[in-house]
């Protein structure tokens, strides 16, 4: 009975199906070796043809180097041979049967792979490198399938364990799948003809933009004239000292994009909860003192004013995630889902220093290296999703120690110089009255004035844009904006008893617009007839 079991562990060609990591014919296990009684996906004959072609044509490797990795091959012997070929290529050495044999002999691997005779056998199997790229993709697809089988087996094992945290398992599963996608699906180069056609098509579309906007509008006229909107694939860093109004500025900007231009936007708030952000949006939209919103001490006419103003905000395509200590890996995963499901046009992170880097299970390096990795990842995310990414950042205390007007500069960026390097645009927020400055050099009042200083702009000029800061509404607006109470409709009743119920009865029918997390005000006791929050 023991001999039968042993014989069942080997296939006809002598390779072991389960148990050891290395088998007599040089095949190595890269995952669970037997799944539901089947061999893992493989194409040994195609692997042999590719390796033979690489050793008979000197330029064949350039066609497959970005497709195949050593682990893409199923047999361990083939992995070792391909590694030797890659090493020769990196050293600018010729690649043929003799040089590969010599390289394997020098590393002590020649006998492991089957000797010089096996190398000779590989080169005798093919006559040319024709179709080698197609063959390489077959090998790559089989490798991806094996990796998926390995991940699935691990998930299956952990799912049966009673001690497994299901949410941690879900996160691990998603991360593993994205890692496979990132390591195997890469963007190819484009020729000049294709790029020229794409550029001309974009220019043709831009000529119809009479307002000059080519990106996501900020809603601030002077700033949009300078930047033409937040541009796709660009990383913008908005930096300021605490209390300058970074969150107020970026919330005002994403509100303008979502409400006025109906562009889906997402904000990852690591500092404030989602309800706190929504309260800011309500205060700014209804122009009701944020202190009253926080305390809930609204007069009847203020409830009426609130009802008039927030209908657009209620259905705005704004998506808020307030996960604390968000890692860059989680951010990428969530952003991809939002892009796929809701086609978001802008991503905001509030703020960069509260994020954590990916340490891959190892101890984290110093904070400067971690911030550098995060900033590079944010730039890559902007390019991958083709959206502008705005990341808020703190400034160092060096600003406070300087005399004069204390305007920030690039050297004040906190913790890492790579933030300045990776960003396409660096903007500083500065309010003179924060430092007790009441007049500018010309003697003009600077009360309620906020300056957006464009200190770096890869695609345009540098300038300073003045905006109006309305502290009691926690919002920014154009300098020449006027604020006045909304005119009430004559036939609209004033709310006196149950203002939330009154709002529910007067709300317009729901449209097909994407719902915002602004609807998720679970702190209110009142629920509508469908158990939905009123706004």
């Amino acid at each position: 009975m023991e001999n039968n079991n042993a014989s069942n562990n080997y296939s006809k060609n002598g390779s072991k199906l389960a148990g050891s990591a290395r088998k007599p014919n040089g095949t190595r296990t890269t995952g669970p070796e037997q799944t539901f009684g089947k061999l893992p996906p493989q194409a040994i004959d195609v692997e042999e043809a590719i390796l033979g072609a690489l050793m008979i044509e000197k330029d064949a490797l350039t066609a497959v180097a970005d497709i195949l990795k050593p682990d893409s091959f199923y047999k361990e012997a083939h992995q070792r041979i391909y590694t030797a070929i890659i090493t020769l290529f990196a050293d600018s050495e010729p690649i043929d049967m003799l040089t590969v044999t010599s390289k394997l002999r020098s590393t002590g691997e020649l006998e492991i792979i089957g000797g010089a005779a096996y190398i000779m056998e590989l080169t005798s199997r093919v006559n040319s490198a024709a179709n080698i790229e197609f063959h390489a993709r077959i090998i790559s697809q089989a490798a991806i399938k094996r990796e998926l089988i390995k991940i699935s087996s691990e998930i299956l094992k952990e799912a049966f364990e009673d001690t497994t945290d299901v949410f941690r398992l879900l996160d691990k599963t998603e991360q593993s799948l994205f890692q496979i996608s990132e390591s195997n699906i890469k963007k190819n180069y484009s020729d000049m003809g294709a790029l020229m056609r794409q550029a001309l098509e974009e220019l043709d579309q831009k000529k119809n933009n009479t307002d000059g906007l080519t990106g996501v509008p900020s809603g601030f006229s002077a700033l949009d004239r300078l930047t033409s909107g937040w541009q796709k694939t660009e990383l913008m860093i908005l930096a300021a000292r605490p209390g300058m109004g970074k969150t107020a500025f970026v919330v005002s900007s994403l509100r303008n994009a979502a409400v006025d231009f109906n562009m889906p936007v997402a904000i990852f708030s690591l500092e404030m909860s989602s309800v706190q952000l929504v309260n800011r949006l309500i205060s700014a939209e209804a122009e009701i003192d944020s202190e009253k919103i926080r305390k809930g001490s609204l007069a009847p006419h203020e409830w009426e004013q609130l009802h008039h103003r927030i209908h657009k905000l209620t259905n705005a395509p704004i998506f808020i995630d307030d996960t604390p200590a968000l890692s860059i890996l989680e951010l990428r995963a969530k952003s991809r889902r939002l892009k796929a499901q809701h086609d978001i046009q802008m991503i905001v992170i509030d703020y960069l220093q509260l994020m954590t880097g990916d340490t891959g299970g190892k101890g984290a390096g110093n904070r400067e290296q971690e911030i550098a990795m995060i900033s590079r990842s944010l730039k890559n995310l902007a390019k991958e999703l083709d959206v502008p990414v705005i990341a808020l950042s703190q400034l160092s205390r060096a600003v406070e120690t300087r005399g004069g007007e204390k305007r920030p500069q690039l050297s004040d960026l906190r913790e890492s110089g790579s933030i300045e390097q990776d960003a396409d645009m660096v903007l500083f927020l500065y309010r003179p009255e924060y430092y007790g400055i009441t007049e500018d050099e010309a003697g003009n009042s600077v009360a309620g004035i906020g300056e957006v200083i464009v200190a770096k702009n890869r695609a345009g000029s540098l300038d300073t844009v003045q905006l109006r800061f309305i502290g009691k509404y926690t919002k920014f607006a154009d300098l020449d904006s006027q604020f006045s109470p909304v005119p009430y409709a004559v036939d609209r009743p004033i709310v006196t008893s149950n203002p939330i119920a009154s709002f529910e009865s007067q709300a317009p029918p729901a449209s097909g617009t994407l719902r915002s997390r602004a609807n998720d005000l679970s702190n209110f006791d009142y629920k509508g007839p469908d158990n939905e929050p009123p706004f």
Side-chain angles (χ1 to χ4, degrees), residues 120-158:
M120 186 180 300
E121 181 183 346
L122 290 176
T123 57
S124 66
R125 289 179 178 271
V126 292
N127 297 319
S128 72
N131 304 319
I132 189 172
E133 185 174 349
F134 179 78
H135 295 158
R137 297 195 184 280
I138 294 175
I139 299 302
S140 178
Q141 290 172 16
I144 293 173
K145 289 180 180 179
R146 292 197 300 272
E147 194 67 23
L148 289 172
I149 290 171
K150 176 184 176 182
I151 292 172
S152 301
S153 300
E154 293 174 354
I155 294 168
L156 189 65
K157 178 182 177 182
E158 291 191 40

Side-chain angles (χ1 to χ4, degrees), residues 256-522:
N256 295 338
V259 175
D260 295 339
F261 297 89
N262 199 34
M263 290 186 171
V265 295
I267 178 170
F268 293 88
S269 176
L270 288 79
E271 186 176 34
M272 300 175 64
S273 72
S274 56
V275 174
Q276 286 177 315
L277 276 179
V278 170
N279 284 338
R280 284 201 171 196
L281 282 164
I282 292 175
S283 173
E285 189 73 13
E287 294 183 14
I288 296 175
D289 195 325
S290 59
E291 185 75 15
K292 291 186 176 182
I293 294 287
R294 185 167 64 251
K295 294 179 179 179
S297 56
L298 272 65
H301 74 276
E302 289 173 324
W303 278 106
E304 179 70 7
Q305 181 173 333
L306 183 147
H307 296 154
H308 274 284
R309 296 248 181 144
I310 67 170
H311 288 306
K312 289 182 180 179
L313 186 62
T314 303
N315 292 318
I318 300 173
F319 303 91
I320 302 175
D321 186 304
D322 59 358
T323 304
L326 187 70
S327 73
I328 190 65
L329 190 61
E330 292 172 326
L331 174 69
R332 286 200 301 264
K334 292 180 177 183
S335 298
R336 288 190 189 102
R337 285 201 301 270
L338 285 167
K339 182 65 176 178
Q341 296 172 6
H342 304 293
D343 192 25
I344 55 172
Q345 299 297 305
M346 183 170 70
I347 296 173
V348 176
I349 297 100
D350 182 15
Y351 58 90
L352 188 149
Q353 279 81 9
L354 291 179
M355 293 189 68
T356 59
D358 301 326
T359 59
K362 302 177 182 178
N366 62 51
R367 183 58 177 166
E368 182 176 344
Q369 293 174 339
E370 189 174 18
I371 292 295
M373 185 274 294
I374 292 172
S375 67
R376 283 193 300 270
S377 299
L378 291 179
K379 174 57 181 175
N380 292 336
L381 180 66
K383 292 183 65 177
E384 178 188 344
L385 299 186
D386 195 31
V387 298
V389 173
I390 303 176
L392 276 59
S393 177
Q394 295 283 20
L395 290 177
S396 68
R397 292 188 180 91
V399 179
E400 311 294 337
T401 61
R402 284 202 301 267
E405 295 181 340
K406 303 183 185 297
R407 277 188 169 82
Q409 52 195 23
L410 289 174
S411 60
D412 295 326
L413 286 171
R414 184 176 168 187
E415 289 180 309
S416 177
S418 65
I419 297 177
E420 175 188 349
Q421 174 184 329
D422 296 324
D424 297 279
M425 187 182 297
V426 176
L427 306 99
F428 295 122
L429 206 57
Y430 172 70
R431 291 192 296 112
E433 63 180 342
Y434 180 87
Y435 295 106
I437 301 173
T438 58
E439 294 181 350
D440 60 15
E441 296 175 354
N444 300 316
S445 173
V446 293
I449 299 296
E451 295 182 5
V452 180
I453 304 169
V454 181
K456 178 187 177 182
N457 187 4
R458 276 195 184 131
S461 59
L462 307 181
D463 204 350
T464 298
V465 174
Q466 288 192 334
L467 299 176
R468 183 176 301 279
F469 176 67
I470 306 98
K472 62 180 180 179
Y473 303 149
T474 59
K475 69 184 290 186
F476 281 84
D478 283 332
L479 194 60
D480 57 354
S481 295
Q482 298 296 324
F483 299 93
S484 59
V486 66
Y488 300 138
V490 176
D491 58 346
R492 195 165 179 91
I494 296 295
V495 180
T496 55
S497 56
N498 191 340
I500 302 180
S502 175
F503 175 85
E504 179 74 23
S505 65
Q506 299 169 44
S511 64
T513 308
L514 295 172
R515 292 292 293 237
S516 156
R517 289 245 342 234
N519 300 310
D520 187 19
L521 297 187
S522 55

